Amino acid sequence: MAAAPGSESAPRPLPPIAGSESGDSAPTFHNVRVAVRGELFKLAGFALGGGLTGWLFGHALAGYAVALSLYLLWQLRYLRALRQWLEAPKQVELPEPEGIWGEIFEKLLDLQKRNRKRKKKLAAIVSEFQASTAALPDGAVVIGNNGEIQWFNKAAQALLGLRGQLDVGIRIPNLIRHPDFTDYFGDGEYLGEVEVPSPVNLNVRVALKIIPYGKEQRLMIVRDVSELRRLETARRDFVANASHELRTPLTVLRGYLDMIEPESRNDGPLAEWRMPIAEMRTQSARMESLINDMLKLARLESDADTKQDVLDVPVVLKRVLEDARNMSRGAHRLEVEVDTELFLYGRDAEVHSIFANLAFNAVRYTPEGGRVALRWYGDEEGAHFVVNDSGIGIAAEDIPRLTERFYRVDVGRSRANGGTGLGLSIVKHALHRHEGRLEISSELGVGSTFTCHFPPHRVHRAEIPPEQRALAG
Ligand code: ADP
């Protein structure tokens, strides 16, 4: 398709579809009036002529009637011609009489000509649309109101293995039989997109997005995301391998630093190295936390194992609380409220990570004398873990970015507190694997509340004796 000269960047407007051709003249009422008047004259002439002729022969009325019948026959001739033309406009030619019939036929031929033009234009638009969508790198499938395929482009044909016209009319759930797609298609809401293997090539992954339009019509966009997934896997593997490889030399370094640390104390032979050795130990500890967090994240992303056990959450919380107490060293008021019968279908290490990261952050970002409250409770919407602190708070514009990797509001403060900038990313990923979601509300200088919501089907109510219910602390 050639672009209009000098307008390469501007989108080309679609040609008008109907009713705006230059030959579309305004109704010529004057012509109509003249033609009607002429016809009336003709009728009067017939009547008069017939009447007079009849009168000459002594039958004025009969002559009159014969003349009107002849006029009627004449009209019927044109009506017949019109009927035949309407039946087969391409084969039959309309006569070109003078007067009102001539006027009518002329208008009809004009209308026919304009309709043909319009049809041609529409056909051109349709084929232009089909040509442009056919050239799209993404697949496009038009789905009818019964879920049947109505049209698709070349990319969709290749990605979904459609067999040209043969597959027009088959229902899309019969073609893509993956359960994720069946659920996505079945619920009719079409939120986001769904990713499934291509029905013709299991090595190709396609992302499918359905967009409803018109009267129960749907457009399905099909994207090949195999390369994207391969790159993501490569990135994940690289981070996991690099972290793993860094761990061994770091362990050796830490071992030696621990060994020489006593020598650097006051009267030791390495006393003048006390400060550098202390700094090296702090930095290597920081590196170790970073590597551990990076490995944790990599595992969360790549671990496909979704096996879940019933998890005694109060026991997990007890461990977290102990660690938070050690971290706070009595500098904060720690409050805890736990529903001791509320268990979860989940993975111990991951749930522990979620709770520990949130509780430790609350301690880290709450100045001495502040309050940190942990709450674990259930209701009809599921189970909830709330960490509330009276700490430094977070500005509203930072909240949406907190779960990004290495995003820190104050890098210096985070480092000084032993943070890695990965804690909340771990929380987000681990929660996602438990079908949970994180809610954050905060006010600068007042404090923050982090809430984890778990869906009801993840909750397990345990019956345990009352004497075991108190959370020892
Ligand atoms: P970090 O290791 O730096 O704590 P996180 O991913 O756990 O990394 O948190 C990201 C950032 O969110 C932190 O650097 C901090 O700025 C902010 N943050 C997290 N929790 C709190 C909190 N309870 N109060 C104030 N700021 C917080």
Side-chain angles (χ1 to χ4, degrees), residues 312 314 339-341 343 461-471:
D312 188 339
D339 180 341
T340 49
E341 291 170 10
F343 288 16
R461 278 244 157 240
E463 291 300 328
I464 55 171
E467 65 272 14
Q468 286 181 20
R469 280 186 197 158
L471 184 73

Side-chain angles (χ1 to χ4, degrees), residues 91-112:
Q91 282 107 46
V92 178
E93 271 201 19
L94 277 176
E96 295 173 22
E98 293 285 318
I100 190 125
W101 280 110
E103 192 74 23
I104 290 171
F105 291 163
E106 197 184 317
K107 284 281 159 220
L108 280 173
L109 287 171
D110 191 36
L111 213 65
Q112 185 198 38

Side-chain angles (χ1 to χ4, degrees), residues 327 332 357 359-367 413-414 417-420:
M327 198 175 179
H332 306 89
N357 273 304
F360 298 168
N361 274 353
V363 173
R364 266 193 210 130
Y365 299 104
T366 301
R413 188 172 206 144
S414 157
N417 284 333
T420 60

Side-chain angles (χ1 to χ4, degrees), residues 303 305-314 316 342-352 355 376 433-435 454-455 457-462:
D303 194 356
D305 180 12
T306 51
K307 192 175 112 332
Q308 314 274 343
D309 300 320
V310 174
L311 185 64
D312 188 339
V313 176
V316 177
L342 192 62
F343 288 16
L344 205 63
Y345 288 100
R347 309 186 93 199
D348 190 342
E350 291 172 25
V351 173
H352 179 270
F355 294 174
W376 172 241
R433 283 165 60 85
H434 287 79
E435 299 161 274
F454 297 91
H457 63 265
R458 284 261 165 194
V459 177
H460 177 83
R461 278 244 157 240

Side-chain angles (χ1 to χ4, degrees), residues 12 21 47 81 124 160 175 194 205 208 221 290 301 321 466:
R12 233 170 103 192
E21 290 89 348
L160 301 177
L175 178 81
V194 63
R205 283 196 77 77
L208 307 169
I221 304 290
L290 259 172
E301 280 185 323
L321 192 65

Side-chain angles (χ1 to χ4, degrees), residues 142-203:
V142 173
I143 303 169
N145 55 1
N146 289 320
E148 79 283 9
I149 296 178
Q150 290 185 335
W151 178 87
F152 49 82
N153 69 355
K154 271 211 181 99
Q157 191 168 355
L159 288 169
L160 301 177
L162 292 164
R163 301 158 300 164
Q165 284 303 310
L166 265 181
D167 280 339
V168 169
I170 71 160
R171 291 193 73 244
I172 197 86
N174 293 341
L175 178 81
I176 307 168
R177 291 172 175 275
H178 197 279
D180 289 355
F181 180 76
T182 311
D183 290 349
Y184 178 76
F185 191 78
D187 83 3
E189 286 192 35
Y190 314 126
L191 295 176
E193 52 183 33
V194 63
E195 218 181 284
V196 296
S198 155
V200 270
N201 183 351
L202 294 183
N203 294 320

